[in-house]
Amino acid sequence: VCGRGPRLISSFGHCSIHMSCPSAGLDSYYTYLIWASPENIRRFFAEGLCTGHFEAQKWDDFKKDYVEQNRPITEYKLNLTTDEVRHLWLNLDRETYNSTSREYSFLHSQCTSICADVIRASLINERIEYGELPQGLTGTLRDFADHSVAGYPWYLFCFQSILGKEGEQKGTVWEKLAPADIYPVWSGAS
């Protein structure tokens, strides 16, 4: 989980998946990135949607932007079985090497929910059951925006403007996971 950045698109922070196997010399950060084509960027600003993909990065490449922006990086260990870790790695490699495109939407699918989706798909005969959730994840999308950018009035203004009437929708917990919520929400889950 990476801290908030100075731009609107980085105001929630960032989430990625670190996979390592020291005995095999493998160590990669799988991070979801938006395709940087002019058409994709135009589509994001016009429709709020664009496409992106997972990319495997080495630590030095991954941390570069975050360190320069003084954004903290915190790692949390997932409680997965050995087979689930293998399955997760296989799923991430498939996503990366096939350049699988995934839809990005500020309101419904972003880096955190996309990472959570890959993790959820890697579970074997299990599902994630949430415990008590913060108000920002049980209410509307507008409540989620208030919760996620509390203390940043300009970010909140921008998100409330983007939400429009869609802000009154409830949405799912998966859609409303923000990087800062991963640890408290998942540590209380079973």
Side-chain angles (χ1 to χ4, degrees):
V1 173
C2 305
R4 299 177 195 270
R7 295 175 291 228
L8 181 64
I9 198 155
S10 62
S11 60
F12 285 112
H14 185 64
C15 186
S16 66
I17 302 171
H18 179 203
M19 302 292 291
S20 68
C21 180
S23 63
L26 301 171
D27 190 19
S28 293
Y29 287 78
Y30 291 85
T31 190
Y32 177 83
L33 301 169
I34 295 171
W35 293 106
S37 70
E39 177 57 28
N40 202 36
I41 301 300
R42 185 211 58 79
R43 184 173 171 236
F44 175 72
F45 284 107
E47 303 168 30
L49 299 169
C50 61
T51 55
H53 66 288
F54 273 99
E55 182 177 287
Q57 298 178 332
K58 295 297 176 204
W59 169 247
D60 288 338
D61 295 331
F62 177 77
K63 74 173 183 174
K64 183 179 160 223
D65 289 339
Y66 301 103
V67 170
E68 286 176 3
Q69 294 176 28
N70 203 23
R71 295 170 64 183
I73 299 172
T74 307
E75 290 193 10
Y76 303 103
K77 186 168 176 59
L78 294 172
N79 184 18
L80 301 175
T81 66
T82 301
D83 286 339
E84 289 169 338
V85 170
R86 286 186 193 120
H87 201 208
L88 175 58
W89 210 317
L90 180 64
N91 287 340
L92 287 165
D93 280 345
R94 280 186 189 139
E95 293 260 349
T96 303
Y97 297 114
N98 294 334
S99 291
T100 304
S101 289
R102 284 180 172 261
E103 193 80 353
Y104 177 93
S105 161
F106 234 26
L107 303 180
H108 301 290
S109 64
Q110 25 45 35
C111 63
T112 312
S113 60
I114 290 169
C115 284
D117 188 48
V118 173
I119 293 166
R120 183 173 56 171
S122 301
L123 298 177
I124 300 171
N125 298 322
E126 292 185 297
R127 68 177 192 271
I128 298 171
E129 296 275 342
Y130 291 111
E132 191 172 331
L133 297 170
Q135 173 62 32
L137 300 184
T138 59
T140 65
L141 291 170
R142 199 169 302 289
D143 295 330
F144 168 64
D146 289 345
H147 164 78
S148 297
V149 292
Y152 295 85
W154 284 109
Y155 289 157
L156 184 57
F157 172 76
C158 290
F159 288 122
Q160 294 295 3
S161 300
I162 291 168
L163 285 170
K165 67 179 181 180
E166 212 175 342
E168 301 312 315
Q169 293 178 4
K170 197 103 157 133
T172 68
V173 173
W174 291 100
E175 292 173 311
K176 296 185 281 189
L177 282 176
D181 293 321
I182 283 291
Y183 181 75
V185 170
W186 281 21
S187 64
S190 59

